[in-house]
Amino acid sequence: MSQIISITALASISPLGNDPQLIWNNYLNDQHFFVRKNIDKAPTFVAPLDADSIAKVEELKHSDPKYKFLDNSVLYAMEASRAAIKQAGWTPNDVFGINIGSSRGATDLFEKHHQEYLETGKAQTLASPTTTLGNISSWVAHDLQSSGPEISHSITCSTALHAVLNGVVWLKSGMVDKFMVGGSEAPLTDFTIAQMRALKIYSRSDKAYPNRALDLEKTQNTMILGEGAAVCCLEIGKKENALAFIEGIGYATEILEHNISISAEATCFQKSMKMALQDTKLSDVDVIVMHAPGTIKGDLTEYKAIQKVFGESLPLLTTNKWKIGHTFGASGLLSFELAILMMQHDTFIGVPFAEVQIQEKPIKKVLVNAVGFGGNAVSVLLSL
């Protein structure tokens, strides 16, 4: 990539917590963060926010009378954005863009409003404005009192990394020199879980690790949903306070065979990885944080794509979905977080039930993958 992009902040709320040291400590153990809750009329594994993050969101919700009407997907993004802008040192005088997306949007609020409509025949006045996808970036912009452009979008599970693509393009255009990007998801609702069960991809496993992401021998799908938000601040050029740098970006879309199709060797991933790595020697890539949602086909096709690109000399491979589940539109930025933490601490975080991989050199470059329904793949190369 001709111009380096600096990541000057990354903040999140997730099942792992909201403090970088706590999040890292949670990555260092082999514990998963799934609990059983009664959702969609059945005991269901999910990965909810930790107690401290829930308390922070509740405090935010009551900090302004208007905020009590907002969906959790909006509140999660607002909480993470407040932390990110503080970390980056941006002030009210800075003009910056905002692009924070979501796969499902205001799931909980939409379901409640729709249920009320079915029961009463009437819709609440705020039903429409509080359930539009544009809620997230617009409310974050309001909360931060920003004056730059704000964009919302949904590209299913690659939403957050598409936000990164948008941010990079805006920065390279010269129209702004700072951009906030991210994803937020609050999908732990009856109807959302029911939809995943209807696709026959939700975990029914009773194993010690119910999400078997990167288990390439599994015989059943094991995807589990998690919730959270992650936001990072991007700036053009190499900044002294950068957590990491974006060295390469790639993207590709497959021709649809059906609504959730992806080819046997994930052609979209092959193309996106090659594009992101066009200025980088393959041997320089130390780790790949895979999308790997815990489904049979999703994990295996991505692995085959990596084999096609890298041959026999594979980098270290990992994912965080065995630990915190699939957070849909937020997942790509939570993978960024894992990638940056591994580089900062020079420590590889593997998958406890997968084949053991030995770190033999410092972790300086990490490739992060994400893909959405229909093969909308994004790959981003990060460096320290």
Side-chain angles (χ1 to χ4, degrees):
M1 200 162 70
S2 58
Q3 289 176 289
I4 289 286
I5 304 295
S6 294
I7 300 172
T8 54
L10 193 155
S12 70
I13 57 171
S14 77
L16 300 172
N18 55 75
D19 174 74
Q21 188 57 54
L22 174 62
I23 292 166
W24 178 243
N25 290 341
N26 282 329
Y27 269 124
L28 289 173
N29 64 54
D30 288 342
Q31 171 191 352
H32 68 69
F33 286 78
F34 302 124
V35 297
R36 284 190 189 270
K37 290 193 173 186
N38 199 54
I39 302 180
D40 183 35
K41 303 174 184 176
T44 305
F45 274 120
V46 292
L49 294 184
D50 72 307
D52 184 60
S53 295
I54 291 172
K56 285 180 178 291
V57 171
E58 279 300 306
E59 183 180 353
L60 169 63
K61 189 173 184 176
H62 292 94
S63 67
D64 186 313
K66 295 186 291 294
Y67 293 175
K68 67 181 180 180
F69 298 106
L70 300 178
D71 186 72
N72 279 338
S73 59
V74 180
L75 296 169
Y76 294 173
M78 289 167 66
E79 180 62 33
S81 298
R82 284 183 175 187
I85 197 171
K86 182 178 180 181
Q87 187 184 133
W90 293 359
T91 71
N93 296 323
D94 288 309
V95 177
F96 58 91
I98 297 172
N99 186 177
I100 302 174
S102 179
S103 175
R104 315 302 299 188
T107 49
D108 185 56
L109 205 55
F110 189 92
E111 288 174 35
K112 287 177 179 176
H113 281 311
H114 187 246
Q115 184 62 38
E116 184 176 354
Y117 174 74
L118 293 177
E119 293 171 355
T120 67
K122 295 181 180 180
Q124 288 282 347
T125 303
L126 294 178
S128 176
T130 56
T131 58
T132 59
L133 189 58
N135 257 318
I136 297 181
S137 290
S138 58
W139 276 108
V140 167
H142 164 81
D143 188 58
L144 300 180
Q145 295 294 290
S146 68
S147 57
E150 53 93 359
I151 309 163
S152 294
H153 70 269
S154 172
I155 310 179
T156 60
C157 306
S158 56
T159 293
L161 291 197
H162 271 95
V164 173
L165 297 185
N166 289 343
V168 168
V169 170
W170 273 84
L171 291 171
K172 294 180 74 172
S173 76
M175 295 180 70
V176 291
D177 56 12
K178 295 179 173 65
F179 219 98
M180 175 180 285
V181 300
S184 183
E185 210 72 55
L188 308 185
T189 68
D190 290 329
F191 187 49
T192 309
I193 297 290
Q195 291 174 72
M196 298 305 109
R197 286 201 172 111
L199 290 170
K200 296 182 170 51
I201 59 177
Y202 211 86
S203 178
R204 294 177 287 108
S205 174
D206 286 321
K207 293 185 177 182
Y209 293 103
N211 179 298
R212 306 291 296 181
L214 258 188
D215 176 357
L216 302 179
E217 305 298 324
K218 59 181 171 288
T219 56
Q220 63 179 18
N221 291 318
T222 63
M223 192 185 82
I224 296 174
L225 294 189
E227 62 179 351
V231 172
C232 63
C233 294
L234 306 181
E235 300 184 40
I236 193 79
K238 207 159 190 174
K239 304 298 181 183
E240 289 185 4
N241 63 329
L243 303 176
F245 305 102
I246 296 175
E247 282 198 6
I249 56 175
Y251 50 87
T253 302
E254 291 191 1
I255 302 301
L256 289 173
E257 293 182 12
H258 56 81
N259 290 12
I260 61 171
S261 66
I262 190 169
S263 58
E265 293 179 343
T267 305
C268 58
F269 265 140
Q270 292 185 49
K271 291 179 178 178
S272 67
M273 287 189 288
K274 287 177 181 177
M275 183 185 296
L277 299 172
Q278 59 186 335
D279 299 321
T280 303
K281 291 195 301 183
L282 296 181
S283 59
D284 286 345
V285 179
D286 303 305
V287 180
I288 299 176
V289 180
M290 295 173 60
H291 182 74
T295 61
I296 296 171
K297 189 172 183 181
D299 294 8
L300 192 56
T301 56
E302 183 179 0
Y303 180 75
K304 288 181 177 179
I306 292 169
Q307 285 183 313
K308 283 284 187 180
V309 173
F310 286 88
E312 295 301 313
S313 302
L314 298 183
L316 300 171
L317 304 178
T318 192
T319 178
N320 56 12
K321 293 184 181 67
W322 67 271
K323 182 182 275 281
I324 62 172
H326 195 351
T327 53
F328 283 156
S331 62
L333 256 288
L334 288 171
S335 293
F336 258 41
E337 181 175 68
L338 172 57
I340 290 171
L341 287 170
M342 285 192 293
M343 289 191 291
Q344 288 177 333
H345 295 274
D346 191 19
T347 301
F348 174 67
I349 301 296
V351 177
F353 49 80
E355 182 179 346
V356 175
Q357 303 168 81
I358 305 300
Q359 179 185 340
E360 296 179 342
K361 59 178 180 174
I363 299 174
K364 298 293 186 183
K365 294 183 188 293
V366 180
L367 185 68
V368 178
N369 280 342
V371 68
F373 283 160
N376 298 295
V378 180
S379 300
V380 181
L381 180 64
L382 303 178
S383 65
L384 195 60

